[in-house]
Amino acid sequence: MEIWHNPSCSKCATARATLDEARVPYRLRAYLTEPPTVAEVTEVLRRLDARAWDICRTGEPAAVALGMADWARDDATEARWIAALVAHPELIQRPILLLDDGSALVGRTSEALDEAVRRSDG
């Protein structure tokens, strides 16, 4: 699996530790220094079965500066949300786990990490 991670994030560290303990192999992508493209964010959203605002950290300074909390959340504005995530990758929720089975999870809870381990045993 691939993990979109921020090395200074405690939730990312927990995800790595959980996967290490379960001996689940993974590749790290420091998405802040290797930002995703529009196509990659779109694909991650498909894999998560989520919308762009679902994975946006709207409390981050860049989101506040852009006024994203007030942006519409509908089909017509999703491209704007995705463009903001690409331009400001720090807005992307973390860690995102891209599983080898084609699915994805936001690995912020122990339940999500347990599910990632379970699916990796597949």
Side-chain angles (χ1 to χ4, degrees):
M1 89 177 56
E2 180 173 280
I3 303 174
W4 287 13
H5 83 115
N6 174 345
S8 64
C9 168
S10 64
K11 297 284 187 184
C12 294
T14 299
R16 292 188 311 270
T18 299
L19 296 173
D20 287 345
E21 184 177 317
R23 299 180 188 259
V24 173
Y26 57 86
R27 299 170 303 286
L28 294 176
R29 178 173 180 171
Y31 70 95
L32 296 177
T33 57
E34 187 185 339
T37 64
V38 167
E40 288 173 318
V41 170
T42 301
E43 174 63 11
V44 165
L45 291 169
R46 184 195 66 76
R47 291 172 72 167
L48 287 168
D49 192 24
R51 303 299 295 263
W53 45 86
D54 295 330
I55 65 164
C56 184
R57 299 169 57 88
T58 56
E60 290 288 322
V64 172
L66 292 168
M68 292 177 78
D70 297 326
W71 287 10
R73 297 173 184 218
D74 57 27
D75 291 343
T77 61
E78 188 153 29
R80 181 182 187 198
W81 282 86
I82 292 170
L85 294 174
V86 169
H88 304 279
E90 69 274 16
L91 299 179
I92 298 171
Q93 192 58 265
R94 59 188 183 254
I96 293 181
L97 312 174
L98 303 175
L99 283 69
D100 293 338
D101 68 3
S103 65
L105 297 164
V106 177
R108 295 190 61 78
T109 66
S110 60
E111 294 81 11
L113 296 174
D114 290 346
E115 179 67 11
V117 169
R118 187 188 66 73
R119 289 188 197 176
S120 296
D121 287 342

